[in-house]
Amino acid sequence: MAVPGRQPANRGLVSRCTHHHVVVFLLTFFSYSLLHASRKTFSNVKVSISSQWTPSCLNSTTFELQPNELWNSNRLFPNAEEATLFLGTLDTIFLFSYAVGLFVSGIVGDRLNLRWVLSFGMCSSALVVFFFGTLTEWLHFYNKWFYCCLWVVNGLLQSTGWPCVVAVMGNWFGKAGRGFVFGLWSACASVGNILGAFLASCVLKYGYEYAFLVTASVQFAGGVIVFCGLLTSPKEVGLPELGADEEGSAEEDANRPLMGDDDADDDDGNYSIQAADTDSQPQAIGFFQACCLPGVVLYSLAYACLKLVNYSFFFWLPFYLSNNFGWKEAEADQLSIWYDVGGIIGGTIQGLISDVLQKRAPVLAISLLFAVGSLFGYSRSPNSKPINAVIMAITGFFIGGPSNMISSAISADLGRQDLVRGSSEALATVTGIVDGTGSIGAAVGQVRRGQGGKGNFERLSGSATGHKYFHYQIVFCTLIDTDQNGIVWCPSEGSEHHLLHPHGGNCFRLQQGINGMNLRDLAALR
Amino acid sequence: MGTVLSPIPRLDLSDCSLRTLPSAFGEAADAVVLDLTENPLAALPDGSFLGFTQLQQLVVPKAVQCPGGSGAWQEVTTYGSSRLCQSQRNPCNGSEELAPLCPENAVCAPDGPGLSQCLCAGSFHGYKCLRQDAFPVPLFCSVLGTVTAALSLALWGTQRRHAAGLRGAG
């Protein structure tokens, strides 16, 4: 029954893909990549920063390295462990302020020009990163509180990125084919990670401040380019707005969110086509109105849970690999890229399937069901790199894929559903709510992990039970996700540790390692 | 003593009634020959001779050991009430346990009798010798500036030139 509506819509997508669409796709893709790259830079230079902030401590006290000003003059932290803890704290601070910022900047993005907000966010966050990493080093001004304040501001400014780029993409790419386009497009975070790692590793030998300088400058340049080149909506160049020109049933479909479980709505034609409202200046939707839109709260909660799982997996993977299989850290880092690859492919293919089916929720549910199986499979992966990489890619396919889909395509669906046609500026607000809730989920997960055994880094190597248990926990979380088909209350992890696992402590200590810190630091401490 | 002493190859502090070394003693670090005889010195604290890399002949009262121990000198002789410490050994050479293992990117260098320091090796510099070479600022700025300007102009021309500000601020 989905067929009659789909055909014209798909043809419409292909025929109406102008060079503007391509440029918008690339600009939004790379602007978010650059924002993500600067986050990745921070985690990749942590070793250098913590050694810049601490005096050298050779194991023996008999030799104090001379000359003193060369080896021991910086005493922001007495040793590398405390510096690493502080860097982990900065990560948590960032996640929280990022989450809060997402709610705010979505609202701001819908009320002001998306292009201005996006390029302001990119340029100002580039400046903050420059202050944080480069200027303080040039001036030799090291102060914990100053760093914390800068990172709070950076989280707020960085959060302008995601709601704005999703909103712009949602304006340009209609529901037909949205799953596919957004699936492909949500590779931007992974590309940003690779870009950040590459930039950082290229210039790190000149000093960590140059890693920050380079990413900040490139991000600033990106902000300028976005300001000069981004068209936030087809309206700006006189192209018809999405849905306004599409005829008949295609129009209905293009503005209907693909999220209902019941599929009775494909044939009924009683949705009104509100072509008139494009003439008037659209009114932005309020925060609480946006929350009340059908599906927003549910998908937000589902995403909170999924992002927690996804982030845990993401942070913990190289550490697990090098620990459990004894593989070299660089190899483990490279191997963990397969998780990303799986996520990109998964997001794209599942988006495509959901486009064809014109439904997203069943695809999500089935994918998460498979995710449980793949996680169990992964926890029993043999000590073989190719096999492990394949299973990892499969896991990424089933976990990263849905995660990407909720944060991009479904957010765009929700923000452009029929109920907001009259006040069409809801996209950024809705995206902000979904991603903000997700980030809070991820941040709370970090904090809960952080509560356990502080300073127990030496035990971070953990035990096999710890690793395995961690798997089960993810599996459990995913199971709930699946059972309720996107209607989720994320289980509170901390209590489960104690309830379900007598040796929960191991797991806590293990997860302390995932507490937003670069795993390389931790490996160095072992 | 706030005055900066000019480099002194020889310094005769004999018979100055020194019980301890003067506070500005470190400023004489360039001395090649140093005479401390006839002083009621008790002992020379560790590190008094930090930076005395040029010192080749040191004469101290017999009651006082050569700084850094006799192992830090090629030759230690006593005559009369004096002790002559001659020719510093380089603590970085050989398998002396005195030589510290310098961290990455740093090499050991002598730093006075029996003392050594770690200095940045080759092109390394900065705190803890973490940095290498100089970042090519002009090259980076010009490349980034050119690319940004070119892309901005191209995109402005193709995308935004005819854009109407329908979604204007406010």
Side-chain angles (χ1 to χ4, degrees), chain A residues 189-317:
Chain A
S190 305
V191 170
N193 284 339
I194 296 167
L195 198 68
F198 173 74
L199 285 177
S201 64
C202 278
V203 297
L204 197 54
K205 69 165 188 167
Y206 301 116
Y208 80 91
E209 66 269 28
Y210 290 106
F212 281 114
L213 178 72
V214 167
T215 36
S217 317
V218 172
Q219 189 182 318
F220 192 91
V224 172
I225 293 171
V226 162
F227 187 80
C228 292
L230 186 69
L231 292 164
T232 53
S233 159
K235 275 189 293 181
E236 284 196 306
V237 281
L239 287 172
E241 206 194 355
L242 277 185
D245 66 323
E246 292 175 21
E247 80 287 359
S249 55
E251 140 70 9
E252 289 160 31
D253 277 349
N255 294 304
R256 189 101 55 76
L258 287 176
M259 55 176 191
D261 288 333
D262 51 338
D263 44 88
D265 49 7
D266 273 322
D267 295 315
D268 54 353
N270 49 8
Y271 279 85
S272 61
I273 305 163
Q274 297 171 327
D277 65 332
T278 50
D279 302 331
S280 60
Q281 187 79 308
Q283 205 64 40
I285 197 170
F287 178 78
F288 291 105
Q289 275 175 290
C291 284
C292 292
L293 289 173
V296 170
V297 172
L298 297 184
Y299 272 106
S300 298
L301 294 177
Y303 187 54
C305 195
L306 202 49
K307 192 164 185 176
L308 192 156
V309 176
N310 201 22
Y311 262 55
S312 305
F313 215 86
F314 194 75
F315 281 127
W316 161 83
L317 202 49

Side-chain angles (χ1 to χ4, degrees), chain A residues 20 51 54 205 230 236, chain B residues 118 128 131-132 159-160 164:
Chain A
H20 294 302
S51 88
T54 51
K205 69 165 188 167
L230 186 69
E236 284 196 306
Chain B
C118 291
K128 291 189 184 175
R131 295 164 175 78
Q132 190 184 16
Q159 306 294 316
R160 285 210 61 87

Side-chain angles (χ1 to χ4, degrees), chain A residues 4-233:
Chain A
R6 193 180 83 236
Q7 292 307 91
N10 276 359
R11 216 177 321 124
L13 171 81
V14 176
S15 63
R16 295 187 322 115
C17 187
T18 62
H19 69 99
H20 294 302
H21 287 81
V22 178
V23 170
V24 165
F25 184 95
L26 291 177
L27 272 181
T28 49
F29 185 96
F30 280 107
S31 54
Y32 189 69
S33 293
L34 292 175
L35 287 169
H36 224 268
S38 79
R39 285 184 230 170
K40 181 71 179 172
T41 304
F42 174 66
S43 75
N44 274 26
V45 301
K46 276 177 179 168
V47 176
S48 299
I49 296 185
S50 64
S51 88
Q52 182 74 37
W53 283 347
T54 51
S56 345
C57 57
L58 288 186
N59 40 8
S60 64
T61 49
T62 47
F63 287 120
E64 180 121 317
L65 278 175
Q66 295 288 344
N68 208 40
E69 62 272 17
L70 179 61
W71 298 105
N72 299 308
S73 57
N74 286 353
R75 292 181 181 273
L76 187 65
F77 295 99
N79 53 42
E81 282 83 357
E82 293 203 18
T84 311
L85 265 182
F86 178 71
L87 290 171
T89 313
L90 281 184
D91 275 336
T92 311
I93 287 175
F94 178 87
L95 266 182
F96 269 110
S97 89
Y98 185 70
V100 171
L102 277 169
F103 291 113
V104 178
S105 52
I107 298 169
V108 172
D110 276 339
R111 277 160 180 74
L112 303 177
N113 190 322
L114 288 171
R115 178 173 61 111
W116 291 8
V117 176
L118 179 59
S119 52
F120 167 77
M122 288 180 75
C123 292
S124 55
S125 124
L127 279 179
V128 171
V129 170
F130 173 76
F131 286 141
F132 179 91
T134 311
L135 208 60
T136 54
E137 176 54 38
W138 282 348
L139 301 176
H140 295 285
F141 176 74
Y142 308 111
N143 183 300
K144 289 176 210 174
W145 297 111
F146 186 64
Y147 284 126
C148 288
C149 291
L150 282 182
W151 231 221
V152 169
V153 175
N154 189 31
L156 294 175
L157 292 172
Q158 279 242 340
S159 69
T160 54
W162 185 253
C164 290
V165 290
V166 172
V168 170
M169 282 292 288
N171 283 338
W172 279 90
F173 293 91
K175 198 188 71 175
R178 184 180 279 161
F180 173 72
V181 172
F182 274 72
L184 203 60
W185 178 81
S186 54
C188 56
S190 305
V191 170
N193 284 339
I194 296 167
L195 198 68
F198 173 74
L199 285 177
S201 64
C202 278
V203 297
L204 197 54
K205 69 165 188 167
Y206 301 116
Y208 80 91
E209 66 269 28
Y210 290 106
F212 281 114
L213 178 72
V214 167
T215 36
S217 317
V218 172
Q219 189 182 318
F220 192 91
V224 172
I225 293 171
V226 162
F227 187 80
C228 292
L230 186 69
L231 292 164
T232 53
S233 159

Side-chain angles (χ1 to χ4, degrees), chain B residues 75-97:
Chain B
E75 200 181 345
V76 177
T77 48
T78 50
Y79 58 92
S81 62
S82 314
R83 188 188 296 272
L84 175 65
C85 320
Q86 264 190 303
S87 301
Q88 287 181 50
R89 285 212 172 105
N90 185 345
C92 298
N93 288 347
S95 55
E96 295 263 352
E97 73 272 17

